[in-house]
Amino acid sequence: MSRGLLAVESNVPNYREGITFSVMMTCLMAASCGLIFGYDSGVSGGVTQMESFLSEFFPEVLSEMKKEKHDVYCKYDNQWLTAFTSSLYIAGMLSSLLASHMTRMVGRQGIMLIGGALFLAGSIVNAAAVSIAMLIIGRMLLGFGLGFTSQAAPVYLSESAPARWRGAFTSAYNAFVVIGILFATVTNYFTDRIPVWGWRVSLGLAAIPSVVIVAGAFFVSDTPSSLVLRGYPHRARATLQHIRGPHADVDAEFKDIVLAANQAHKNDKGAFKRLFSKQYRQYLVIGVAIPVFYGFTGMVVIAMFSPLLFRTVGFSSQNAILGSVINSAINLVATLLSSFIMDRIGRKFLFIFGGLGMMICEVAISWIMADHLGKQEGIMPGNYATSVLVLIWMCTFSFGLSWAPLRYVVPSEIYPVEVRSAGQAMSISITFCISFLELQVFIALLCTMKYVVFLLFVICLLAMTIFVVMFLPETKGVPIESMGSVWAQHWFWRRFTMNVKQESQTLLVK
């Protein structure tokens, strides 16, 4: 362990929290919000390559696929088809920003409840769709639901979890995302066999995880931090005592929560504007960098379009979906492994390990695609296609171990309470915005650039890995109310914290 990390750990309080049944059940409910995100991410990619769905809404794509001579990389290049997938993310971006303002009024629990209800409405509209416009409206309702739950659930987990296991608890959200993806891909595997209306079953079953969220939100309390901010200190203390255990000493932790909330009330207005001031420079940079880099790992499009990618390289519809099922299972294994080890070995190591793993796999994928193009063959030979499939699985494992869970964990734990909702909303909205743009253009880029697309992702992976090594501080085990000590010990960011302290002292003297 480095000297800097030892210094950080010596300057933070130890609340001696334990893992209780109450905190596990409370966090389990909040983490289950990831189900709706995962199910939708997994189901849309499979549905968009089902012939029953394409014949209903995109017959031109189906006719292109059946031509004897066509570019295998271009057969799904249709902007309305990609809009069906990507429209969800533009709605999610807008609603996550709205959710940050509403949190002060209804709390994080209320935001999750609203999000679940919107997702339920979207799933019903999509299952009953009879036109492309109806599909897009349903997708946008789903997006509004995702924006609300994605903004609230990771912060809820961070504020409720014991500091020593905060990484594991917060990454549970991503575990449920992956479970949702796995559930969706298994569903697609069976509904693909149903002629004409199988796609409706896939889209309609999104109602199941949304009902789970809506029902579960009624049985949990808001977080202690949110309750104090909203003016309910007695309820906040009772909630903290409940989740820490009836015999736990919560005085020190509750005192720090109240102090943080009082500081937040002094800066009650203009949270987004405050994020761009010098005092919050480090939070802004990390809060922007993580979602931007996450978007350019290449895994967003691989996760959403994996069935299309597997069809592109020559697999049948059923085998393409089966490949996606295995891909989702690998993602789940990696995510669960990450949850067990991230609070032991730290966030930075996993970021670096995962980045290097994805780089190696994506370089290999681009090489195989380039070699195939060089031979000017049509459909990829079986050994080439199988190699691409295995490399995508390996890439998914590296992603599931690192960036997939950590993109929720780190942004949810670094912000001070006065800008926490705004910062989380900013990170989530950036993720959704980049995902929207990437999903909207990926199929067109695959058609025009072929393997070069993956080389662009490799360049981004190299840049983000260097950034993590240089500028991301280690946050494992640090109580969320004491996160300022992490920045004060970092070789680069400490200059900003020192400048802020000097300016504050100068103002006090004056």
Side-chain angles (χ1 to χ4, degrees):
M1 187 179 296
S2 68
R3 184 179 302 174
L5 185 55
L6 283 170
V8 170
E9 292 183 344
S10 65
N11 289 330
V12 298
N14 183 1
Y15 298 138
R16 301 186 183 279
E17 320 107 312
I19 297 179
T20 64
F21 178 78
S22 297
V23 77
M24 288 185 65
M25 290 298 101
T26 299
C27 290
L28 190 65
M29 181 273 137
S32 65
C33 287
L35 283 173
I36 59 177
F37 198 167
Y39 186 85
D40 188 80
S41 298
V43 79
S44 56
V47 164
T48 50
Q49 61 84 51
M50 290 183 184
E51 292 192 5
S52 59
F53 177 78
L54 293 173
S55 63
E56 180 82 17
F57 298 104
F58 305 99
E60 64 276 13
V61 175
L62 196 59
S63 62
E64 182 68 25
M65 290 171 59
K66 292 181 178 179
K67 288 182 180 179
E68 290 186 7
K69 293 184 178 181
H70 64 269
D71 188 336
V72 295
Y73 295 101
C74 298
K75 58 186 177 181
Y76 292 103
D77 186 15
N78 182 286
Q79 287 301 301
W80 281 110
L81 181 61
T82 52
F84 164 72
T85 302
S86 63
S87 57
L88 171 140
Y89 289 95
I90 197 69
M93 181 191 73
L94 297 173
S95 61
S96 64
L97 295 174
L98 177 62
S100 71
H101 293 288
M102 293 179 60
T103 298
R104 287 291 180 94
M105 294 182 288
V106 301
R108 313 205 193 283
Q109 174 207 22
I111 292 294
M112 291 189 290
L113 181 60
I114 294 170
L118 286 168
F119 198 89
L120 177 60
S123 63
I124 294 172
V125 172
N126 266 352
V130 293
S131 66
I132 294 177
M134 199 169 174
L135 279 177
I136 300 297
I137 291 171
R139 291 290 290 176
M140 295 192 75
L141 284 171
L142 294 174
F144 289 134
L146 287 184
F148 276 87
T149 54
S150 298
Q151 196 276 341
V155 175
Y156 187 104
L157 290 162
S158 255
E159 292 181 343
S160 301
R164 285 179 291 174
W165 296 282
R166 188 176 58 248
F169 275 85
T170 309
S171 65
Y173 178 83
N174 187 70
F176 274 93
V177 171
V178 180
I179 291 170
I181 294 173
L182 182 59
F183 175 41
T185 51
V186 171
T187 299
N188 284 338
Y189 182 75
F190 290 104
T191 58
D192 186 45
R193 303 178 182 184
I194 303 174
V196 184
W197 51 271
W199 62 271
R200 294 189 186 275
V201 178
S202 289
L203 296 180
L205 285 178
I208 294 177
S210 57
V211 168
V212 171
I213 305 306
V214 172
F218 282 108
F219 294 98
V220 297
S221 175
D222 208 353
T223 67
S225 293
S226 181
L227 287 168
V228 172
L229 282 172
R230 292 166 56 214
Y232 303 107
H234 297 297
R235 284 176 56 190
R237 185 182 177 86
T239 298
L240 185 63
Q241 190 74 65
H242 178 69
I243 62 177
R244 296 291 180 252
H247 304 295
D249 184 359
V250 299
D251 290 342
E253 184 176 5
F254 184 69
K255 181 181 177 181
D256 284 346
I257 290 173
V258 172
L259 287 173
N262 288 338
Q263 182 64 30
H265 282 304
K266 293 177 182 178
N267 303 284
D268 199 35
K269 296 181 180 179
F272 280 99
K273 182 179 179 181
R274 196 174 302 112
L275 269 175
F276 289 88
S277 66
K278 184 184 294 185
Q279 181 181 356
Y280 297 89
R281 183 73 49 80
Q282 61 270 37
Y283 307 111
L284 176 67
V285 172
I286 300 298
V288 170
I290 287 179
V292 168
F293 285 140
Y294 166 79
F296 290 106
T297 59
M299 295 307 299
V300 174
V301 291
I302 287 176
M304 294 293 285
F305 290 135
S306 58
L308 297 188
L309 285 173
F310 297 151
R311 287 295 299 273
T312 296
V313 298
F315 290 99
S316 67
S317 178
Q318 280 285 285
N319 287 336
I321 295 177
L322 179 60
S324 296
V325 171
I326 298 172
N327 194 53
S328 301
I330 291 171
N331 196 358
L332 179 59
V333 170
T335 298
L336 294 176
L337 178 60
S338 179
S339 298
F340 280 110
I341 65 177
M342 73 167 58
D343 287 315
R344 292 174 173 83
I345 67 175
R347 282 63 157 149
K348 286 190 69 168
F349 177 83
L350 289 179
F351 268 128
I352 296 166
F353 178 84
L356 292 174
M358 286 185 283
M359 262 191 282
I360 294 169
C361 293
E362 290 186 16
V363 166
I365 290 170
S366 63
W367 182 84
I368 291 172
M369 293 174 68
D371 189 56
H372 168 245
L373 284 171
K375 294 181 178 179
Q376 297 183 342
E377 298 173 338
I379 296 174
M380 276 191 180
N383 59 333
Y384 278 56
T386 302
S387 297
V388 171
L389 180 69
V390 172
L391 284 167
I392 286 178
W393 289 344
M394 293 170 63
C395 198
T396 296
F397 181 83
S398 299
F399 177 68
L401 198 64
S402 57
W403 279 85
L406 290 171
R407 50 94 182 236
Y408 294 114
V409 173
V410 175
S412 69
E413 67 186 4
I414 63 171
Y415 294 108
V417 68
E418 66 268 19
V419 294
R420 192 170 295 152
S421 291
Q424 178 71 1
M426 180 188 68
S427 296
I428 292 297
S429 63
I430 291 172
T431 299
F432 282 145
C433 182
I434 293 176
S435 297
F436 165 75
L437 295 173
E438 200 171 13
L439 291 170
Q440 189 63 34
V441 303
F442 175 73
I443 297 299
L445 289 176
L446 184 65
C447 175
T448 57
M449 300 177 69
K450 284 31 176 210
Y451 66 91
V452 178
V453 173
F454 290 96
L455 291 180
L456 292 177
F457 290 141
V458 170
I459 294 171
C460 294
L461 283 164
L462 178 62
M464 61 202 267
T465 303
I466 293 172
F467 177 87
V468 166
V469 171
M470 298 294 293
F471 299 110
L472 184 70
E474 181 57 68
T475 55
K476 76 177 182 74
V478 180
I480 197 168
E481 291 81 19
S482 305
M483 199 60 68
S485 60
V486 171
W487 307 101
Q489 297 294 330
H490 190 271
W491 72 272
F492 181 79
W493 299 119
R494 64 185 177 190
R495 70 185 67 181
F496 293 97
T497 58
M498 289 173 64
N499 289 338
V500 169
K501 287 181 180 178
Q502 289 172 358
E503 290 174 7
S504 299
Q505 290 173 356
T506 302
L507 289 172
L508 287 173
V509 171
K510 291 182 178 179

